[in-house]
Structure formats: C-alpha cells, structure tokens
Amino acid sequence: MKNFEIVMSICCISYNHEKYIKQALDSFLMQITDFKFEIIIGEDCSTDQTRAIIESYCQRYPDIIHLLVSDSNVGAIKNQVRVINKAKGKYIAMCDGDDYWSDPLKLQKQVDFMESHPQHAICCHYTKVIDEQGKLVYVNTKPEVLEFAFEDVLLGKKEETRICSLVARNNGWVKEIGMEDWYYKTFGTDTLFKLYIMAWTNGKIYVLPEVMAVYRLHRGGIWSLIDGKVRKGRMISDFNVIINNFRYSSISKKELLKMYISQYLLFDMWNLNISKAYHTLTKLI
C-alpha cells in the first residue's frame, strides 16, 4: 500500500437524512486504521437540514471529509457515480447516509483481508437490520464465512452483501460502470454494481463472519419500504437489465429461465405485460 497516500475512500450518498447522517458520519470517523482514509459525501439537494449537518462536519474535519453538492436533485445513481469518480483510495467502502457502521475495526479487517486475498474483488460482512424506531428486525446470531462467484450473484445468491458492508478494489471497472447507460435504469443498483465488478475482474465476494454494520428500514429509503407490486415490477426490470447486458454460460441461462418462470412470469402475465414477457422468454430460450 506504499504507493497509495489514501488507502480507503468511504463513499456515501445522502438525501433527506437529517435524522441519520450524524450517526453515519460518526461511525466513519470512529474507524481505527493503520492507513489514511477519506470520506466523500454526495449530498443530493436535500429539502431538510442534511447539507447543513454535513457542512458542520466538513468544517471540523476539512482534511478528511469532502462534500459534493448540486443545484438540483440528480438522483441516487448519478449521485453514487459522481462520488465514486472522486475516490482516490486503493479501495472504496460504500455506506448510504441512513445506515451506519458498528465496529471501529471494520475497515481495517476488510483491508487486511483484501491485501492478502487478491483473487477477491469485493469483501462484505454481516449486517444488522433495524426499523425506524431503532428496533431490531433481523440479525444472524451465528455468522459464518460466505463466498460468492459471479454465477451465484447472477442467480440471486448474495446473502449478507448489503451495500453498507461492501469494500471493493478501486480499479478502473468500478468507475467504468458510470459510463453504462443501462446502469441508470436500474433499481436494485447495488446488485448490478457487484455483478459488473465481478464480471470484469473475475473476482469473488467474500463475506467476513462478523456483524459490523446496521441497515435501516424506513419510509424514506430508496428500496426498503415500497409497495410490494412496485417492488416486484422493479425486480423484473432489473432482471431484464441483467440478462441483456451480462454474459453468462448456457447452464446459467437455463437457471435464469427457471428463475423467471417461477418468480416473475405470472406477475407479468397478470399485469398484462405480455410483450415484455415474450421478449424475456425469447432471450432465455
């Protein structure tokens, strides 16, 4: 790591997170590391006090925290892309402004792993899930090592890889994704982000068997608490983005067909998306 003045770039996007952003920032700043890190925050023209709170932190930590702003709302994906494009570190860590980290050694543990395992493109860990009141919704009390290849994530196997746990190598592919038009049409962007990195690096995801972050379910979240029908429609949309923009084996193609028939076909037919269903089936048959 000698050639990297900044080893880790913490990439955070935030919109209307006045209730949560302090906890996120404090959890970044509490990290104990033997390397230098930076915090890059994309504040997307919030209508509450989010920007003012972040600016107060920037004044206190001007050499660590860098704030990106805009005159109008650019949306979560463009916000994420512009933050990543500013990252100078050898690695990037992701965490949205409504989530936070719970272990002060999280980054050190993940960097230590990545340094000694070059075959892995991404390192994640287990995450606790809470609701708006801070009450526990989910936590795995017996975490164990998990490992996923590209084909696993392609077929929906990605347990305990939430974006607030993710550390990835800051190679060219991390920033190239922002040049893909289809990326801006996705909803479950974190899955597409992981797939893209894995596809181009042929690297795996490794999940450390420790709970080191907290994911928050709340009504202001981009994905966590939306109508079930809308959620299913977005999942199908992302499914089609995946099958049309990634390469996969004939075996995976058959499995994707099974997945579509068992999970999505009936929904498309029930909602009279006949043409879309036909094109999806045609792609996979």
Side-chain angles (χ1 to χ4, degrees):
M1 296 189 287
K2 294 180 180 179
N3 295 327
F4 290 85
E5 180 183 357
I6 297 173
V7 172
M8 178 65 72
S9 295
I10 301 169
C11 297
C12 175
I13 61 173
S14 188
Y15 175 72
N16 284 357
H17 288 158
E18 66 177 1
K19 295 180 181 179
Y20 315 120
I21 190 64
K22 287 183 179 180
Q23 193 168 25
L25 290 171
D26 288 341
S27 76
F28 303 160
L29 291 165
M30 77 173 182
Q31 293 299 304
I32 301 170
T33 66
D34 61 11
F35 52 79
K36 187 175 180 180
F37 62 82
E38 63 176 354
I39 302 169
I40 307 171
I41 308 175
E43 197 290 302
D44 200 11
C45 206
S46 298
T47 59
D48 60 11
Q49 293 300 306
T50 299
R51 183 177 297 186
I53 294 169
I54 298 171
E55 286 175 341
S56 70
Y57 273 78
C58 289
Q59 292 174 1
R60 291 159 56 191
Y61 304 96
D63 296 329
I64 299 176
I65 302 176
H66 311 290
L67 175 60
L68 304 180
V69 299
S70 53
D71 295 328
S72 60
N73 185 272
V74 300
I77 300 177
K78 288 184 178 180
N79 196 14
Q80 180 202 68
V81 168
R82 68 176 178 172
V83 168
I84 291 174
N85 284 339
K86 291 292 185 179
K88 299 177 182 178
K90 182 177 182 180
Y91 302 99
I92 63 168
M94 310 285 281
C95 187
D96 293 345
D98 50 352
D99 303 323
Y100 64 96
W101 298 337
S102 54
D103 187 332
L105 296 175
K106 165 194 151 65
L107 291 185
Q108 186 68 58
K109 293 173 183 177
Q110 289 181 282
V111 168
D112 287 347
F113 175 84
M114 295 291 273
E115 286 290 300
S116 59
H117 296 81
Q119 72 275 23
H120 289 84
I122 296 171
C123 178
C124 295
H125 54 73
Y126 284 69
T127 305
K128 180 167 71 172
V129 181
I130 61 173
D131 64 14
E132 288 184 279
Q133 288 73 45
K135 294 180 180 178
L136 180 66
V137 174
Y138 164 82
V139 67
N140 189 318
T141 57
K142 296 181 179 180
E144 59 185 18
V145 168
L146 300 173
E147 191 173 52
F148 302 107
F150 171 79
E151 291 77 12
D152 296 320
V153 180
L154 181 73
L155 298 173
K157 300 174 184 177
K158 52 185 176 63
E159 295 82 7
E160 301 293 348
T161 62
R162 288 186 176 88
I163 200 73
C164 59
S165 79
L166 183 145
V167 164
R169 301 183 191 281
N170 187 13
N171 52 36
W173 299 116
V174 170
K175 296 179 179 179
E176 287 287 332
I177 195 170
M179 300 176 67
E180 302 285 356
D181 290 339
W182 54 260
Y183 190 59
Y184 298 92
K185 301 173 185 177
T186 62
F187 297 97
T189 309
D190 61 328
T191 297
L192 280 295
F193 182 80
K194 286 174 278 199
L195 278 173
Y196 192 83
I197 295 173
M198 298 172 78
W200 287 105
T201 64
N202 199 32
K204 297 180 179 180
I205 297 177
Y206 187 89
V207 181
L208 294 170
E210 298 184 56
V211 179
M212 295 192 284
V214 180
Y215 176 81
R216 195 188 312 268
L217 296 172
H218 65 98
R219 289 177 179 82
I222 295 172
W223 184 257
S224 57
L225 287 177
I226 60 174
D227 177 78
K229 183 177 179 180
V230 174
R231 184 184 180 91
K232 178 73 81 169
R234 291 180 177 182
M235 291 171 69
I236 294 173
S237 176
D238 282 354
F239 180 85
N240 280 291
V241 169
I242 290 171
I243 65 172
N244 285 295
N245 291 283
F246 288 91
R247 295 179 180 178
Y248 38 85
S249 67
S250 58
I251 295 175
S252 292
K253 187 176 183 179
K254 291 178 182 178
E255 293 302 315
L256 287 166
L257 177 60
K258 292 179 183 178
M259 180 188 296
Y260 177 71
I261 291 173
S262 64
Q263 298 181 26
Y264 303 135
L265 178 58
L266 185 61
F267 179 90
D268 270 345
M269 300 301 288
W270 184 260
N271 289 279
L272 302 179
N273 297 324
I274 310 300
S275 177
K276 291 181 179 180
Y278 173 80
H279 287 295
T280 301
L281 290 169
T282 300
K283 178 69 178 180
L284 294 174
I285 292 176

